[in-house]
Every structure is written in C-alpha cells, then in structure tokens.
DNA sequence: GTACATTTGTGCGTATGTATG
DNA sequence: TCATACATACGCACAAATGTA
C-alpha cells in the first residue's frame, strides 16, 4: 500500500494509517523508533508538514512519543495498577488540563481519570497507569 | 498579558495559554466563537502556523471544536449519562482508535472508557458522555 | 570538553482545495 | 456569485536538543 496524492483522504492521514498498521503488525514493535521525518519525506515523496501531521496524529492517539533531537518511538503497552472504586463513588474520563499535564508529566494522548468519592472528594489519576475495579461480592 | 516572541516558551503555547485563560474566565463562554485565524494572526502579530497550532492544542484538550469554513467554538460542558459499574467489572481510559473515532463520531480530545465485565466482555463508551458509578450499599 | 551530524521544533511564505454563509 | 474561513501541502530557514566521535 502506498500514498496517493490525488486521493480524497489527505496525505497525512494516509501516512498515519500506514504507520499505524505497521505498528499494529509488529513491523514497529513497542520501544522501536519510527523512521525520521526526513526519511519518511523521501521514502514517500511527500512534504515534511504532511509527515509531521501524521506523527502528531499518532501522538494524540497515544501510540508514539516524540523527543526533540532524538525521534519518535512506539509506546509500550502501559502497566496499570488497580484501584478500587468505592461504594458511592463515580468516575469520568477527560483530557488533562495543561497544568495537570505538567504536574503529572503526562504524554500527549493520555487522558485522566477523575474519581469522585461518596463525600464529594475528587482525585485525578493518569489514564495510562490505572485500572478502576469493582470487586466481586463475596 | 501579551505574547513575547523572544520568550523561551513557544509562541503557540503562549497563545494557547492566553486563549485558555480567556475561555476559563468567561471571556469566551461555551458555544461562543474564537476569533478567526486571520484575526488572531493580525491581533498578536504572529504567524498563521502558530495560531493554528495553538487552536489545535486546545482541540486536543477538548476545549474547542473547529468547523471548516465556520471557525472554532468553545465546547459546552457535556451532559453525562450515568452507567453502573457492576460487581467484578473494571474500567480503563484511553484515546480511541481511528476506527472508533469514526464510528462513534468522537471529537478530537475525547477519550473513551473501556468497561470489562465479570465475564470478560468489553464495552466502549464515549468519554465525554458517560459517568461510571458504583451505588451506595443499602 | 569540543565539535559535529542527526533529528525535531518553530516560523514564514505561498498555493490550492473545500465548506460555510 | 462571492467573500470568508479553515484544511492541506509544499518549500525554505534557523533554533534547539540529542548522541557520538
């Protein structure tokens, strides 16, 4: 599968689809580096902006991380610690505020989980590190 | 507060901070339109790319929606329907896959909630429309 | 410690396409 | 029809971070 500049779907979406597939197929396993922007630009005969937009898309999907001067790497499947949702509690998912992003050191494309307990207290957790559970009755 | 091109923080981050503050302060209430790209470009004397990146940032944070040919608008605080997390169930938050984005018609910056029940079945919900609850014991 | 190549970040200019009103 | 506005895409340039020789 290649990229068709005359297609109705944008070039950067086509490239993102292509890279996403190569990640899923194991062509780019977790931890591995994606080709550099310059490499992808040449490889597919497209502009750098299209390349950057496609990688940005993958970042916001939580699939890759990018480090300036280093490159983009496929994220590892996160380990999640289990947290019990107590009786009378509730939980919502949302994107972090910019302040939360900084203080919790969250990557792009990582939501937060907001837990409200029975007394109105609120706690916020990184969405890629926790799994909320409700135990079986016993 | 204005924008300083000589600052170490990127222009587009400065503008995003500024717009975010104006949204939070009620200067741009939910449903209202942000100034157009051209307007912001002139207003702050910065390039179009910086303007676009700042708005893109606000989109991925779930703060605004952008409609081509129309502009960017502040999102309304979502109504959430309550769903009970059953005994033996668990829940994680993550960003949707591209396929999920399409089929569930999710905006940018909207996570999904993945609910696993006691029997291993999985259900996925839009993160901006649901609130998971565990009822009080009675 | 220094120098260098590589890689991503930021920014500008330009052009064309497409949706809205 | 027309103006406005956002989307995509290319080119170029320089800055800043990284890793290595």
């Amino acid at each position: 599968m290649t990229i068709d500049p005359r297609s109705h779907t944008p070039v950067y979406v086509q490239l993102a689809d292509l890279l996403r597939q190569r990640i899923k197929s194991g062509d780019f396993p977790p931890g591995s580096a994606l080709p550099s922007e310059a490499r992808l630009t040449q490889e597919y005969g497209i502009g750098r902006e299209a390349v950057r937009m496609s990688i940005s898309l993958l970042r916001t999907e939580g699939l890759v991380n990018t480090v300036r001067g280093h490159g983009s790497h496929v994220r590892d499947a996160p380990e999640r610690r289990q947290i019990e949702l107590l009786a009378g509690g509730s939980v919502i998912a949302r994107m972090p505020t910019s302040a939360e992003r900084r203080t919790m050191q969250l990557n792009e494309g990582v939501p937060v989980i907001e837990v409200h307990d029975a007394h109105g207290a609120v706690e916020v957790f990184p969405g890629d590190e926790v799994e909320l559970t409700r135990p079986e009755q016993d």
Side-chain angles (χ1 to χ4, degrees), chain A:
Chain A
M1 176 190 171
T2 65
I3 288 181
D4 177 16
R6 297 177 307 278
S7 165
H8 292 296
T9 63
V11 171
Y12 80 94
V13 175
Q14 294 182 55
L15 178 57
D17 290 343
L18 216 150
L19 293 175
R20 203 183 295 108
Q21 194 175 20
R22 294 181 69 180
I23 290 173
K24 279 203 170 182
S25 74
D27 198 355
F28 297 131
S32 69
L34 294 188
S36 72
E37 294 179 356
R39 183 72 190 257
L40 291 171
T41 298
Q42 296 170 352
E43 200 87 9
Y44 292 99
I46 61 182
R48 190 186 173 199
E49 182 168 347
V51 170
R52 286 179 58 75
M53 287 180 73
S54 68
I55 293 178
S56 169
L57 194 52
L58 298 181
R59 256 199 317 272
T60 64
E61 291 174 0
L63 290 180
V64 305
N65 273 338
T66 302
V67 179
R68 172 171 1 187
H70 183 59
S72 295
H73 293 252
V74 180
R75 292 191 200 172
D76 294 287
E79 292 254 343
R80 296 177 188 273
R81 65 178 189 275
Q82 295 193 332
I83 296 180
E84 181 181 341
L85 180 61
L86 301 175
S90 66
V91 52
I92 67 170
R94 58 168 174 80
M95 295 314 283
T97 65
S98 56
E100 287 169 337
R101 276 265 307 273
R102 277 194 305 274
T103 62
M104 306 176 77
Q105 297 184 317
L106 299 176
N107 286 319
E108 277 187 70
V110 177
V112 292
I113 282 187
E114 194 179 290
V115 178
H116 300 247
D117 72 14
H119 310 298
V122 180
E123 228 174 340
V124 179
F125 300 98
D128 60 345
E129 291 181 7
V130 304
E131 172 182 6
L132 277 170
T133 62
R134 176 179 175 182
E136 294 277 4
Q137 293 162 326
D138 50 357

